[in-house]
């Protein structure tokens, strides 16, 4: 046997070498099979930024806008140590779409699952991701999502598991809308009499980038047009080009963190195959364009089967409101074409804003993939929520069954667990409205409403139906889209209908066979939407319209279930004003 293990073919030497390699690799293999804890240290602060080429301030995380993307595998634990570096306001971050099973104090809803994290404090968000899918996170205090506090959260399958579809690569698109008016200005306007609405956004952003008053097309045509933009921070607003190879299949992950806009997305010449909605697989169906409402996420498969000598536009535009915001654009760049080669055809046109039949046709195609859990056939309780715009002492509000939500200072989770009777309204909020006499097609006869912060106490493990009933707003002939989002659960979307829900006629039309499981669903103007979920996750959970100004004006309710089953709530989930050094700091 030689003294070195160089190129020798000595069998013993080969054996020893193999053994050494095994020893080195073994721990790695084991690690990749097992779940991990992924640690993040984040600092939230205001920062100058030019999301749409106009300088403004954003709520940045570690100096970035949008915040860093979290990528994890099913079974992993995410640990975000969030430090509030804002000088004068609290903060809280919600992990949208993550059910927080067993960790309701990590849901990130100020006044519900925790106190706002004060300036200078650190909060430890620690939770498991138990389901693959496309998610995101965002601020959940005041209107901090509108201030730009958001980012992507993507959960991959556990090692060795396979998706029910194939793709060669993936692209991630986080969609949002952007105002030049800061959130304080926006908030004050909403709470002023006479009311000042936030208006339509100045720009739509794709991965935090948009172009205000500066045509993207111009940017690509020549350098002189770039200088026409004469705007600072061009590198912050330059579109993220989507680079692809011809004849491959890509998974596009889409999530909408918009504050207001319902969006429609299309890619020139290409069709898309919808395969995932809100972290659940759906029966694949093909579309030319897709509607995505605030709080929703999708995966679509895109096959790059068009002329490889061209690039193509990807566009997003506003639906459901008279658009005053230009389309958001980026380019699907077929390699090896240059990214600055302009597509030969114009960007796809967004369907007419009020073509609700187009939206309904799309929404009705979304059905659960076979193998998705089915809803229980019966419900134990049915809560009907009438969505109305109202007035309280002259202020414009949104209300559910005539109650406009104002969150209490003490978070519900702790006050329910420890029976603090004066922390919130102990009366049950209304289960229904006067459906016989209320005309949902007309402005409210008596628009006066009341503030409230009561909780729907749900029996643990009971099956709850929620019928969201849309109505006319304060002005005649106006009824808006509201995208509703539930924390802590996925629900089955049993159906959509026009007019007033009638148990007699509509009950039998509900889909109990293959309703999609989701965490967000819309109500169409003058329509209703029926949802079903099982109250099986101990905690206190927000259920609200995901339009940021609407929630701020009271458009939400609170559910609680099984709080008595939580053995301990970590101190940081209970106590307000805890500093970073004092938090209970659970170990791995
Ligand atoms: Cu993404 Cu309570 O919301
Ligand atoms: Cu709304």
């Amino acid at each position: 046997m030689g003294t070195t293990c160089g190129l020798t073919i000595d069998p013993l030497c080969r054996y020893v070498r193999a053994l050494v390699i095994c020893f080195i690799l073994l721990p790695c293999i084991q690690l990749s099979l097992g779940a991990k804890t992924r640690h993040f240290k984040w600092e939230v602060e205001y920062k100058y930024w030019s999301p749409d080429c106009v300088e403004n301030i954003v709520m940045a995380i570690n100096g970035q806008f949008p915040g860093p993307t979290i990528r994890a595998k099913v079974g992993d634990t995410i640990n975000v140590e969030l430090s509030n570096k804002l000088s004068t306001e609290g903060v809280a971050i919600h992990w949208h779409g993550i059910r927080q099973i067993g960790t309701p104090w990590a849901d990130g809803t100020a006044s519900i699952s925790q106190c706002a994290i004060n300036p200078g404090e650190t909060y430890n968000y620690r939770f498991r991701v138990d389901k693959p899918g496309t998610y995101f996170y965002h601020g959940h205090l005041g209107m901090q999502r509108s201030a730009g506090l958001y980012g992507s959260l993507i959960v991959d399958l556990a090692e060795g598991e396979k998706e029910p579809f194939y793709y060669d690569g993936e692209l991630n698109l986080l969609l949002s809308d952007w105002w030049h008016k800061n959130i304080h200005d926006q908030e004050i306007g909403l709470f002023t009499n006479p009311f000042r609405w936030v208006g339509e956004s100045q720009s739509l952003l794709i991965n935090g980038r948009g172009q205000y008053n500066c045509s993207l097309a111009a940017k690509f045509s020549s350098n002189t047009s770039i200088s026409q933009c004469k705007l600072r921070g061009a590198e912050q607003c330059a579109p993220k080009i989507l680079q692809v190879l011809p004849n491959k299949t890509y998974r596009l992950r889409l999530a909408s963190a918009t504050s207001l806009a319902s969006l429609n997305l299309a890619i020139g010449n290409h069709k898309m195959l919808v395969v995932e909605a809100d972290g659940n697989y759906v029966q694949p169906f093909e579309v030319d364009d897709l509607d995505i409402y605030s709080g929703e996420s999708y995966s679509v498969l895109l096959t790059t089967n068009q002329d490889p000598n061209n690039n193509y536009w990807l566009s997003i535009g506003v639906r459901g409101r008279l658009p005053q915001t230009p389309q958001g654009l980026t380019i699907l760049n077929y390699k090896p074409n240059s990214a600055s080669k302009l597509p030969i055809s114009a960007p796809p046109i967004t369907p007419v804003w009020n073509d609700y039949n187009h939206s309904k046709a799309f929404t009705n195609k979304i059905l659960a993939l076979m193998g998705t859990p089915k809803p229980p056939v019966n419900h134990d309780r049915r809560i009907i929520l009438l969505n109305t715009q109202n007035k309280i002492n002259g202020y414009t509000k949104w209300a559910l069954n005539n109650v406009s939500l104002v969150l209490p200072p003490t978070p519900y989770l702790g006050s329910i667990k420890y029976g603090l009777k004066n922390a919130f309204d102990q009366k049950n909020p209304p289960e229904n409205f006067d459906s016989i006499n209320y005309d949902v097609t007309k402005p409210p006869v008596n628009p006066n409403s009341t503030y409230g912060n009561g909780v729907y106490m749900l029996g643990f493990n009971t099956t709850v139906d929620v019928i969201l009933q849309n109505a006319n707003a304060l002005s005649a002939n106006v009824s808006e889209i509201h995208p509703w989002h539930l924390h802590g659960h996925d629900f089955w979307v049993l159906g959509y209908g026009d007019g007033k829900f009638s148990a007699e006629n509509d009950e039998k039309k509900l889909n109990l066979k293959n309703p999609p499981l989701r965490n967000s669903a819309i109500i169409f103007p003058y329509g209703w939407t029926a949802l079903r979920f099982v109250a099986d996750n101990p905690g206190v959970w927000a259920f609200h319209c995901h339009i940021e100004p609407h929630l701020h004006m009271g458009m939400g309710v609170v559910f609680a279930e099984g709080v008595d089953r939580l053995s301990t709530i970590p101190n940081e989930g209970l106590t307000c004003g805890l500093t970073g050094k004092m938090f209970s700091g659970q170990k791995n």
Side-chain angles (χ1 to χ4, degrees), residues 481-482 545 547 550 555:
I481 286 175
H482 302 284
C545 174
I547 291 179
H550 287 184
M555 202 166 201

Side-chain angles (χ1 to χ4, degrees), residues 94 96 109 136 138 140 145 295 485 487 542 544 546 551:
H94 166 58
H96 182 113
T109 43
F136 65 109
H138 60 80
H140 216 295
R145 181 156 48 92
H485 169 63
H487 289 225
H544 61 88
H546 212 262
L551 170 58

Side-chain angles (χ1 to χ4, degrees), residues 366-368 372-375 492-495 511-517:
I366 304 168
L367 297 168
T372 306
K374 282 194 185 10
W492 290 275
V493 188
L494 303 185
N511 175 10
L512 299 180
K513 232 181 65 209
N514 56 0
L517 250 185

Side-chain angles (χ1 to χ4, degrees), residues 109-178:
T109 43
S111 286
I112 300 174
S113 60
Q114 67 171 101
C115 298
I117 309 162
N118 286 315
E121 290 175 5
T122 298
Y123 191 92
N124 208 21
Y125 288 105
R126 196 183 166 83
F127 56 90
R128 249 182 104 242
V129 288
D130 61 347
K131 217 157 57 83
T134 307
Y135 308 103
F136 65 109
Y137 61 83
H138 60 80
H140 216 295
L141 169 62
M143 289 176 63
Q144 292 182 340
R145 181 156 48 92
S146 298
L149 189 54
Y150 44 75
S152 295
L153 197 175
I154 293 168
V155 183
D156 290 308
L157 290 169
E159 209 65 53
E161 305 269 301
K162 276 212 165 58
E163 303 279 4
F165 42 82
Y166 174 81
Y167 53 100
D168 302 292
E170 81 172 59
L171 300 160
N172 183 35
L173 279 75
L174 180 62
L175 312 174
S176 57
D177 42 9
W178 183 251

Side-chain angles (χ1 to χ4, degrees), residues 20 80 87 118 175 196 266 301 336 481 513 549:
V20 167
V80 177
S87 52
N118 286 315
L175 312 174
R196 295 194 205 173
L301 300 182
I481 286 175
K513 232 181 65 209

